[in-house]
Amino acid sequence: MAASLSTPTILSLTPPFPLPNSHNPTSKALFFTPLKPTPKNPVLKQKSASQIQASATDFDPGLLQQAIQLVKSSPPTWQSALLSNAAIFVLGSPVLLSGLSPPGFAAAFLLGTLTWRAFSYSGFLLVATYFVIGTAATKVKMEQKEAQGVAEKMKGRRGPGSVVGSSAAGCVCAALSISGIGGVALAPLWKLGFVASFCTKLSDTVSSEIGKAYGRTTYLVTTFKIVPRGTEGAVSLEGTLAGILASVLLASVGVVLGQINIPQVVICVIASQIANLGESIIGAVFQEKEGFQWLNNDAVNVLNISMGSILAILMQQLFLQNWLT
């Protein structure tokens, strides 16, 4: 019986895998090493940043490009005229407000928008040239003019009445051009009338202001009697010559800008001088006289530039066109 007994089986207590043990650093590291957070994918991060940068760079130039395309619209639209005019008036407000009162500034903005819509940037630049030269002439010897009581009010800053009085004929020509009255055949005439109106007004302004500042002898146009500077209807040699040069200069600018041609420069200059002579006669005989109190300086300006514009158009149709054909 003793021989039949088998050797007892010793069960192994060794686990199939190592248990954690303070003497076994490997096993400790294996079971108790904390899990580290998975790092963010740098590629994805870079991609996200590049996408944001791309969207930002795509946004601003896109708007800017649209604005530029709108400004360059040919023919101009009301949207392009408003945008262009607003940008110029905001950037140029220090200069504009030196020659315009706030209500005059608003009136000039409307004039600029209408001009750009009708005759594009070239028409706008012509009016801007008129404004700069006219304002500079008004401020010549301002203190002397103020002392003599012949200076323009508000140190030459123009109000809305003055803006309208100086641009009424040009605005009519612009409206006729926008409306397409007469079609392609009459479109050059509206440009000519537009340029002639501002040549007439600039000539009148410069001759008056230079005459007040430098005129040695001033004559009343209806009687040729010597009268004080600043008298309504008075003219001087110095002022007359300066006015002629001013009209030649602005008409030449119109040629450079493509508004008129070289023969039409002569038309603008002649029309402006005839209109200014008529304006001086109206001023001497009727302006603010009994029964004509309504005929103030702004109303006379409207008549003056209207005469210059109409005369230029008639001269083009009756003389230059017949001569060329």
Side-chain angles (χ1 to χ4, degrees):
M1 184 170 179
S4 65
L5 292 176
S6 61
T7 305
T9 302
I10 301 174
L11 298 176
S12 174
L13 298 177
T14 303
F17 50 84
L19 294 175
N21 190 323
S22 59
H23 299 288
N24 187 350
T26 305
S27 62
K28 184 177 181 180
L30 179 63
F31 281 89
F32 292 95
T33 300
L35 294 176
K36 295 182 180 180
T38 304
K40 295 182 179 179
N41 191 335
V43 176
L44 294 177
K45 186 176 182 180
Q46 291 177 0
K47 183 178 180 181
S48 177
S50 63
Q51 288 176 343
I52 295 174
Q53 183 178 4
S55 62
T57 54
D58 288 343
F59 180 75
D60 292 339
L63 285 181
L64 180 60
Q65 186 176 8
Q66 290 179 10
I68 293 174
Q69 291 299 325
L70 184 61
V71 170
K72 293 168 63 177
S73 300
S74 182
T77 63
W78 284 113
Q79 291 86 348
S80 66
L82 281 170
L83 177 62
S84 305
N85 210 40
I88 292 171
F89 268 67
V90 169
L91 295 175
S93 57
V95 176
L96 291 169
L97 288 173
S98 68
L100 295 166
S101 67
F105 183 89
F109 178 82
L110 297 177
L111 167 63
T113 302
L114 180 64
T115 298
W116 194 296
R117 173 63 180 84
F119 304 115
S120 189
Y121 71 92
S122 57
F124 184 94
L125 289 177
L126 183 88
V127 177
T129 304
Y130 152 78
F131 173 79
V132 171
I133 298 175
T135 301
T138 302
K139 294 184 180 297
V140 170
K141 290 194 174 184
M142 178 60 73
E143 294 181 358
Q144 172 187 306
K145 295 174 187 175
E146 288 177 334
Q148 295 173 350
V150 297
E152 293 288 335
K153 299 176 181 178
M154 300 186 298
K155 293 188 177 294
R157 296 177 73 194
R158 309 294 183 178
S162 180
V163 172
V164 173
S166 302
S167 63
C171 289
V172 170
C173 291
L176 291 171
S177 178
I178 293 171
S179 302
I181 302 298
V184 178
L186 295 186
L189 288 181
W190 309 144
K191 281 188 178 182
L192 174 62
F194 174 81
V195 175
S197 70
F198 284 100
C199 287
T200 300
K201 183 52 192 165
L202 182 63
S203 178
D204 174 58
T205 299
V206 171
S207 62
S208 176
E209 297 299 332
I210 298 303
K212 293 174 186 177
Y214 297 104
R216 296 180 182 179
T217 307
T218 309
Y219 303 92
L220 192 64
V221 70
T222 53
T223 63
F224 289 98
K225 290 182 179 180
I226 298 176
V227 292
R229 293 175 181 176
T231 302
E232 291 296 341
V235 296
S236 67
L237 177 62
E238 295 82 359
T240 301
L241 292 176
I244 294 173
L245 290 175
S247 63
V248 171
L249 176 59
L250 191 61
S252 301
V253 171
V255 173
V256 173
L257 294 173
Q259 292 291 305
I260 58 175
N261 55 40
I262 294 177
Q264 289 172 336
V265 171
V266 179
I267 288 180
C268 288
V269 173
I270 294 175
S272 67
Q273 299 315 301
I274 295 174
N276 286 342
L277 178 61
E279 188 259 357
S280 297
I281 295 173
I282 292 173
V285 177
F286 300 108
Q287 186 170 351
E288 296 182 347
K289 300 294 192 297
E290 186 176 354
F292 293 93
Q293 286 80 3
W294 59 271
L295 197 61
N296 58 19
N297 193 54
D298 293 335
V300 172
N301 284 336
V302 172
L303 294 175
N304 179 33
I305 60 176
S306 298
M307 283 190 290
S309 181
I310 293 170
L311 281 171
I313 292 173
L314 291 176
M315 290 172 66
Q316 167 74 25
Q317 290 297 92
L318 299 178
F319 299 108
L320 186 59
Q321 186 171 340
N322 292 334
W323 180 71
L324 290 176
T325 56

